[in-house]
C-alpha cells in the first residue's frame, strides 16, 4: 500500500544544508537531518506536478462545505503547492477560511495611507490562531504514517490546535507539554476542553520543546511542533490567501511576529517556490518582529550584541549561534514578555528564517511590551482584536514607518496571528482600573502605562449619575 502510494507521490524531504542535501522518503518521521542535524524541507518534483499557469486558477475554489476538501479548506485549496499526499488522504476541519482586512482605523496609527494597510486575520481559524494551517498538514502526514499519538510543546496555541484536531478527527490522541504558569488561560482552557492529555512541566517553552523532542524521537509519538516540515507546508497557504485576497497582487511588505520562526520560514518558502514556478514576478519584503524580551533573532541578525548573522547561501555562521546560545545559558537568560506566544529564546527554525530574510530582503526589529500592548489596544479599537504576540507585527510596522524603511504608500500586510480572546487577562489588566491586577499582570513586563486604555466607568446605580457619563 505504502509502496504504491510512494510511486505516485512527487514529494520528498530534503536537508536544507547545501553541503549535505540528504533526501528522505515522504513517509519518514524526522525532525532534522540524520546526517548533519540541519532542518528538513518538504520539496517536490515540480516538473511532474500539474501546477497551473496562473494563480487565477485557484479562483474556482470558493468556500463551501459540500464541494470537497479543496472548497472546505483554505489550506487544501492550494493543493498543487503542497501535494505531498494524495487528495483522498487530506485532513481538514475547515481551517484557513481567513480574510485580509482593510484596516483603515489602524493605518493612521501605523503611519500608512488608508487603503494601503491590511491585516491578515488568522484568529478566525477553528482554534483561534494560524497554527491550524500547519496542523491540518501535520495531521495529514501523522495519520498517513500511522501514528496513534501526537505531541507538542507549546506556549499555548499549538496545543489548542493539536487538541482541536484530535477531538474533531479522532485520528491521533493529543499530548501537550506546557511550561508551568507560562500559558494564557484562553489557550489552556482550549487544550483541556478539547480533551487533550495536558502535561505541565517545570520550566518554560524552550525546556518543554527540548523534552518533547526527546520523548517523541524515542517513543514514536508524532511531533507537531514547527520543526515538523509538513506543518510548515500548511502555513505557506497564509501567503497564498494574502495574494488571493489582493486579487493576486504581491504586497510590498509582509510583517510577522517572530517566535519559533515557523511562519517566517514558511512564508519565505512560499515565495521562493512561487518565483521559481514563474507565478509571481516580484517578491515582497518581510519584516520579522521580536519582542524585546525574547529577541534572539534580532540580536543575531540586527545590530545586537552578537553581530550580523546571514543565511549566506546556507553556509551561515553556526559558531556565532552556538556562542550566543552558550552565553544565554551561562547567564541563565530566560525569555520574558507579555507576548507569551513568542516568549522563545531558542527559535527552532532560526536557519530557515535566515533563508527567508535573504530571499525576501528582510529586516528584523524588536518592540517592547509597552509598544505591543499599545498597538494591541489600537487594533482592538480599529474593530479587529488580537492577542499580545500578534500586535508585535503592528508595533513593528509603526517602527519601520518611523524609521523611513516602510513608505506610507507601500502596500503592507501585518499578520494577526491569534484571536483577541486568547489572553483576556492582558486585555482587562490594560483597560481596567484595578491597579493591583495591572501590576501583577503587566507590571512585571515593564509596562508602566496604558496609553490607549478604555477604562470602565464605575458609578452608583442611579439614573442621573449614569447620565452624567453619557
Ligand atoms: C505561535 C505563535 C506565534 C509565533 O509564530 P512562529 O511561527 O513560532 O514564529 C505568534 N503569534 C501567535 C498568536 C502564535 O500562536
Ligand atoms: Zn543534512
Amino acid at each position: 500500500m505504502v509502496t504504491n502510494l510512494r510511486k505516485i507521490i512527487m514529494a520528498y524531504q530534503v536537508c536544507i544544508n547545501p553541503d549535505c542535501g540528504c533526501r528522505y522518503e515522504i513517509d519518514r518521521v524526522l525532525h532534522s537531518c540524520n546526517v548533519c542535524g540541519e532542518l528538513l524541507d518538504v520539496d517536490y518534483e515540480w516538473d511532474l506536478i500539474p501546477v497551473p499557469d496562473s494563480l487565477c486558477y485557484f479562483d474556482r475554489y470558493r468556500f463551501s462545505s459540500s464541494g470537497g476538501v479543496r472548497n472546505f479548506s483554505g489550506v487544501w485549496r492550494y493543493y498543487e503547492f503542497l501535494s505531498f499526499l494524495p487528495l483522498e488522504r487530506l485532513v481538514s476541519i475547515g481551517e484557513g477560511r481567513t480574510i485580509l482586512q482593510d484596516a483603515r482605523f489602524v493605518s493612521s496609527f501605523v503611519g500608512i495611507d488608508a487603503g494601503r494597510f491590511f491585516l491578515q486575520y488568522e484568529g478566525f481559524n477553528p482554534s483561534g490562531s494560524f497554527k491550524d494551517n500547519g496542523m491540518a498538514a501535520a495531521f495529514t502526514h501523522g495519520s498517513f504514517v500511522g501514528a496513534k499519538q501526537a505531541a507538542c510543546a507549546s506556549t499555548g496555541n499549538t496545543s489548542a490546535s493539536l487538541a482541536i484536531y484530535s477531538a474533531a478527527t479522532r485520528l491521533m490522541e493529543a499530548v501537550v507539554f506546557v511550561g508551568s504558569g507560562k500559558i494564557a488561560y484562553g489557550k489552556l482552557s482550549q487544550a483541556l476542553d478539547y480533551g487533550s492529555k495536558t502535561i505541565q512541566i517545570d520550566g518554560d517553552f524552550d525546556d518543554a520543546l527540548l523534552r518533547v523532542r526527546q520523548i517523541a524521537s524515542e517513543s514514536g509519538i508524532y511531533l507537531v511542533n514547527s520543526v515538523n516540515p509538513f506543518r510548515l507546508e500548511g502555513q505557506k497557504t497564509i501567503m497564498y490567501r494574502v495574494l488571493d485576497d489582493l486579487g493576486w497582487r504581491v504586497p510590498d511588505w509582509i510583517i510577522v511576529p517572530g517566535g519559533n520562526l515557523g511562519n517566517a520560514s514558511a512564508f519565505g518558502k512560499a515565495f521562493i517556490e512561487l518565483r521559481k514556478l514563474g507565478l509571481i514576478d516580484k517578491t515582497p519584503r518581510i519584516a520579522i518582529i521580536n519582542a524585546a524580551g525574547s529577541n534572539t533573532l534580532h540580536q543575531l541578525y540586527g545590530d545586537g550584541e552578537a553581530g550580523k548573522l546571514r543565511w549566506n547561501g546556507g553556509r551561515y555562521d553556526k559558531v556565532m549561534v552556538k556562542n550566543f546560545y552558550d552565553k544565554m545559558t551561562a547567564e541563565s537568560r530566560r525569555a520574558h514578555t507579555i507576548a507569551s506566544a513568542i516568549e522563545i529564546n531558542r527559535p527552532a527554525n532560526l536557519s530557515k528564517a535566515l533563508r527567508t530574510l535573504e530571499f525576501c530582503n528582510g529586516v528584523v526589529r524588536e518592540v517592547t511590551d509597552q509598544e505591543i500592548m499599545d498597538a494591541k489596544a489600537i487594533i482592538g479599537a480599529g474593530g479587529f482584536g488580537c492577542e499580545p504576540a500578534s500586535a508585535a507585527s503592528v508595533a513593528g510596522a509603526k517602527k519601520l514607518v518611523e524609521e523611513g524603511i516602510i513608505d506610507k504608500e507601500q502596500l503592507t500586510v501585518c499578520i494577526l496571528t491569534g484571536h483577541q480572546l486568547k489572553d483576556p487577562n492582558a486585555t482587562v489588566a490594560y483597560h481596567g482600573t484595578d491597579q493591583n491586577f495591572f501590576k501583577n499582570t503587566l507590571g512585571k513586563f515593564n509596562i508602566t502605562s496604558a496609553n490607549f486604555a478604555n477604562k470602565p466607568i464605575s458609578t452608583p446605580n442611579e439614573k442621573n449619575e449614569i447620565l452624567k457619563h453619557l
Side-chain angles (χ1 to χ4, degrees):
M1 178 75 171
V2 169
T3 333
N4 282 341
L5 275 171
R6 205 179 276 165
K7 283 198 192 111
I8 56 166
I9 296 169
M10 328 289 184
Y12 52 90
Q13 302 181 71
V14 60
C15 174
I16 67 167
N17 175 359
D19 295 323
C20 174
C22 223
R23 287 194 184 196
Y24 303 90
E25 303 275 2
I26 216 71
D27 55 359
R28 298 281 301 275
V29 178
L30 297 162
H31 314 137
S32 59
C33 175
N34 281 341
V35 177
C36 75
E38 251 300 349
L39 295 169
L40 300 174
D41 266 341
V42 178
D43 208 347
Y44 305 87
E45 310 281 5
W46 289 110
D47 298 346
L48 305 176
I49 292 172
V51 174
D53 298 335
S54 152
L55 290 167
C56 301
Y57 163 86
F58 295 100
D59 293 347
R60 73 196 63 196
Y61 295 112
R62 289 297 120 202
F63 289 134
S64 107
S65 297
S66 55
V69 70
R70 300 198 63 174
N71 294 87
F72 185 57
S73 166
V75 167
W76 300 119
R77 169 193 283 189
Y78 309 101
Y79 176 67
E80 280 77 5
F81 299 139
L82 59 161
S83 57
F84 57 83
L85 284 174
L87 261 175
E88 57 276 15
R89 291 274 179 167
L90 306 181
V91 175
S92 173
I93 65 167
E95 60 287 325
R97 291 185 167 209
T98 60
I99 45 179
L100 190 66
Q101 300 268 10
D102 181 345
R104 296 180 173 261
F105 301 121
V106 184
S107 66
S108 56
F109 170 78
V110 173
I112 292 177
D113 289 348
R116 304 296 287 171
F117 181 74
F118 291 82
L119 297 172
Q120 175 64 18
Y121 206 177
E122 289 298 309
F124 271 178
N125 271 289
S127 82
S129 87
F130 75 82
K131 299 292 197 303
D132 295 345
N133 294 283
M135 206 54 68
F139 248 66
T140 294
H141 184 249
S143 55
F144 168 73
V145 299
K148 295 284 171 279
Q149 282 183 309
C152 68
S154 184
T155 61
N157 282 332
T158 305
S159 57
S161 184
L162 168 58
I164 198 176
Y165 274 82
S166 176
T169 69
R170 307 288 160 105
L171 289 170
M172 296 188 281
E173 189 199 350
V175 188
V176 310
F177 286 70
V178 296
S180 48
K182 288 287 188 179
I183 175 168
Y185 260 22
K187 307 174 189 183
L188 181 59
S189 72
Q190 288 179 289
L192 299 174
D193 214 26
Y194 294 133
S196 72
K197 194 170 280 176
T198 305
I199 299 177
Q200 276 180 298
I201 65 154
D202 306 329
D204 62 10
F205 173 83
D206 294 313
D207 299 317
L209 182 58
L210 211 60
R211 181 64 68 206
V212 75
R213 283 183 76 156
Q214 178 202 23
I215 289 174
S217 50
E218 287 170 10
S219 68
I221 299 180
Y222 189 82
L223 185 70
V224 298
N225 279 101
S226 54
V227 289
N228 178 329
F230 295 91
R231 211 187 98 179
L232 297 191
E233 291 303 287
Q235 287 169 217
K236 291 192 304 191
T237 66
I238 300 169
M239 291 300 103
Y240 307 145
R241 291 198 298 278
V242 167
L243 303 192
D244 199 337
D245 276 355
L246 288 171
W248 299 114
R249 268 181 311 159
V250 178
D252 297 301
W253 284 95
I254 299 287
I255 307 184
V256 61
N260 227 3
L261 302 176
N263 259 345
S265 303
F267 296 177
K269 187 169 187 283
F271 291 118
I272 290 169
E273 290 169 351
L274 288 177
R275 283 302 290 262
K276 189 157 84 183
L277 295 167
L279 289 166
I280 52 173
D281 51 17
K282 166 187 156 185
T283 308
R285 296 190 69 184
I286 195 163
I288 305 174
I289 313 299
N290 272 165
S294 56
N295 62 353
T296 296
L297 181 68
H298 181 253
Q299 291 282 347
L300 289 169
Y301 185 88
D303 308 315
E305 60 188 78
K308 292 211 183 292
L309 182 69
R310 291 294 179 272
W311 171 243
N312 192 24
R315 296 180 183 94
Y316 66 94
D317 188 345
K318 297 193 175 71
V319 176
M320 190 194 291
V321 179
K322 184 177 180 303
N323 288 345
F324 185 78
Y325 283 13
D326 286 349
K327 192 162 175 238
M328 277 199 300
T329 307
E331 293 172 0
S332 310
R333 207 187 293 173
R334 292 280 169 183
H336 184 64
T337 167
I338 184 75
S340 56
I342 53 174
E343 190 178 51
I344 295 170
N345 259 355
R346 292 162 193 273
N349 291 292
L350 177 65
S351 53
K352 285 183 175 177
L354 293 173
R355 180 175 68 180
T356 293
L357 286 162
E358 181 175 284
F359 187 77
C360 296
N361 188 16
V363 298
V364 179
R365 290 294 182 275
E366 62 176 358
V367 290
T368 64
D369 283 8
Q370 180 74 57
E371 290 168 321
I372 285 174
M373 288 308 289
D374 286 338
K376 181 175 128 46
I378 297 290
I379 295 163
F384 301 100
C386 64
E387 65 170 281
S390 316
S393 62
V394 172
K398 179 177 168 63
K399 181 157 288 191
L400 289 163
V401 171
E402 282 163 5
E403 289 178 18
I405 309 277
I406 298 181
D407 190 88
K408 67 184 178 53
E409 279 122 44
Q410 286 189 303
L411 192 56
T412 302
V413 174
C414 286
I415 313 300
L416 283 193
T417 46
H419 198 277
Q420 183 180 42
L421 298 178
K422 290 283 190 175
D423 192 352
N425 283 20
T427 309
V428 174
Y430 184 92
H431 291 292
T433 50
D434 184 333
Q435 283 310 307
N436 282 331
F437 190 45
F438 185 97
K439 268 194 217 116
N440 293 335
T441 309
L442 304 182
K444 56 186 179 183
F445 298 104
N446 290 329
I447 299 167
T448 51
S449 50
N451 295 317
F452 303 100
N454 173 33
K455 291 201 189 307
I457 300 160
S458 300
T459 161
N461 186 11
E462 285 164 27
K463 192 174 88 181
N464 288 335
E465 287 298 319
I466 294 169
L467 285 175
K468 279 185 204 161
H469 296 288
L470 301 182

